[in-house]
Amino acid sequence: MTATTPPRWRSLLFVPANAERFIARAHERGADGVILDLEDALPAERKPEGRAMLRDSIASITRNGTAAMVRVNHHLRHVGPDLEAAVLPGLTALVLPKVEDAGFVRDVADTVTELERERGLPVGGIRFILQIETPGALFGLPAIAGAHPRIAAMTLGPEDYSAAMGGVPDPDTLLTPNYAVLCAARAAGILPLGFVGSIGAYSDIPAFAEMAQRARRLGFRGALIVHPSQVGPLNEAFTPTAEELDWAHRVVTADAAARAEGRGAFPIDGKMVDAPVVRRAEEILTLAG
């Protein structure tokens, strides 16, 4: 199994795995992916109901190309049944919550591999999104981020993390851990997801849009969200503008010409461009899909 290019996931929308009314329209919301939540969104007595609905829910979500994902539980009593129910044709990724060590990720990966083989699915086809939600996990971020080739992305769980810290999910509490997750994800070559704020903050959409724009400036490339009204601002924030694309194309074209002439630096728009600027231009093109 080998790692693949990080996907383009600007907006990943949580939907309770047993909420039939929300699931029926989830693929219409414009999100790049929909996460069927078996964890916090469902009390223990409702989890079997959510598991039983997954096959039909995944088929519903993917009908127009939206990526279908499932957030499983961390608790051992629930994660086994979650995986048995979730590893199905059409599943793009599993969201693993409350990840504190690399061993947990590898154990889940081994189980998923067994299920893929048993069910005739491509081995390694189901990717992982890791949620960092406790202060202890911060000390193991490099090992966690590089724990397995299935890992496609990593994010901070702002509400759980803030509660574990005895704080509130505001920028003072969340900037440092978000930046630590961002650095670990970038170092591991996986997708950094997140923004510096509460995931539940959707009542003030202009403020949320600015938070999303700031996340992109920091280096994030998408985020997990809980309300359809957050999809549009995220997609806009993480989609390069026409001006950015024009600049990026010109930089990449000029770089190719400069290298052909044996030059490592060249001017664009009155500014000197070298390798780090070219990398930024290439990432803009990648972000555009």
Side-chain angles (χ1 to χ4, degrees), residues 9-14 26 30-35 61 66-69:
W9 291 337
R10 301 164 301 173
S11 53
L12 303 180
L13 176 65
F14 277 113
D32 292 332
V34 172
I35 303 170
I61 289 166
T66 303
M69 306 175 180

Side-chain angles (χ1 to χ4, degrees), residues 75 115 182 263 289:
H75 195 285
L115 291 168
L182 169 64
R263 294 183 291 119

Side-chain angles (χ1 to χ4, degrees), residues 17-40:
N18 68 338
E20 187 172 2
R21 180 167 62 93
F22 296 149
I23 293 167
R25 296 194 59 196
H27 67 289
E28 302 173 358
R29 303 301 188 180
D32 292 332
V34 172
I35 303 170
L36 297 161
D37 191 10
L38 292 172
E39 197 217 12
D40 286 348

Side-chain angles (χ1 to χ4, degrees), residues 262-285:
R263 294 183 291 119
F266 52 90
I268 288 280
D269 298 337
K271 296 180 180 179
M272 190 57 66
V273 171
D274 58 7
V277 181
V278 174
R279 285 200 300 273
R280 180 154 55 91
E282 291 171 340
E283 179 148 351
I284 286 172
L285 298 178

Side-chain angles (χ1 to χ4, degrees), residues 61-272:
I61 289 166
T62 57
R63 73 181 77 169
N64 68 341
T66 303
M69 306 175 180
V70 174
R71 178 162 72 170
V72 299
N73 289 270
H74 182 87
H75 195 285
L76 289 178
R77 184 175 181 183
H78 298 301
V79 69
D82 290 349
L83 295 176
E84 290 280 354
V87 176
L88 296 166
L91 182 71
T92 295
L94 292 167
V95 180
L96 308 188
K98 300 177 177 61
V99 176
E100 293 191 312
D101 60 78
F104 172 73
V105 178
R106 288 193 288 267
D107 287 345
V108 174
D110 289 345
T111 302
V112 173
T113 296
E114 290 181 12
L115 291 168
E116 287 172 332
R117 285 175 174 154
E118 290 173 4
R119 297 172 184 186
L121 300 175
V123 174
I126 296 172
R127 310 298 300 279
F128 290 171
I129 299 172
L130 310 184
Q131 287 190 292
I132 302 301
E133 303 188 270
T134 61
L138 296 184
F139 297 96
L141 283 179
I144 291 170
H148 200 274
R150 288 188 186 272
I151 301 170
M154 188 163 65
T155 187
L156 187 78
E159 307 295 338
D160 281 271
Y161 178 84
S162 299
M165 289 294 290
V168 296
D170 64 15
D172 288 339
T173 306
L174 296 173
L175 177 58
T176 297
N178 261 299
Y179 204 72
V181 169
L182 169 64
C183 290
R186 287 289 184 177
I190 62 176
L191 199 66
L193 302 177
F195 48 77
V196 184
S198 168
I199 193 172
Y202 61 84
S203 60
D204 187 343
I205 291 302
F208 178 81
E210 171 53 35
M211 189 161 58
Q213 293 285 349
R214 184 189 183 205
R216 184 184 165 194
R217 293 194 297 270
L218 284 170
F220 291 101
R221 289 299 173 255
L224 283 59
I225 46 174
V226 297
H227 195 273
S229 65
Q230 296 171 306
V231 171
L234 274 189
N235 286 349
E236 181 177 358
F238 292 108
T239 299
T241 65
E243 291 78 9
E244 287 176 306
L245 286 172
D246 174 70
W247 174 83
H249 281 297
R250 288 190 291 115
V251 167
V252 170
T253 300
D255 175 60
R259 284 187 288 107
E261 297 173 1
R263 294 183 291 119
F266 52 90
I268 288 280
D269 298 337
K271 296 180 180 179
M272 190 57 66

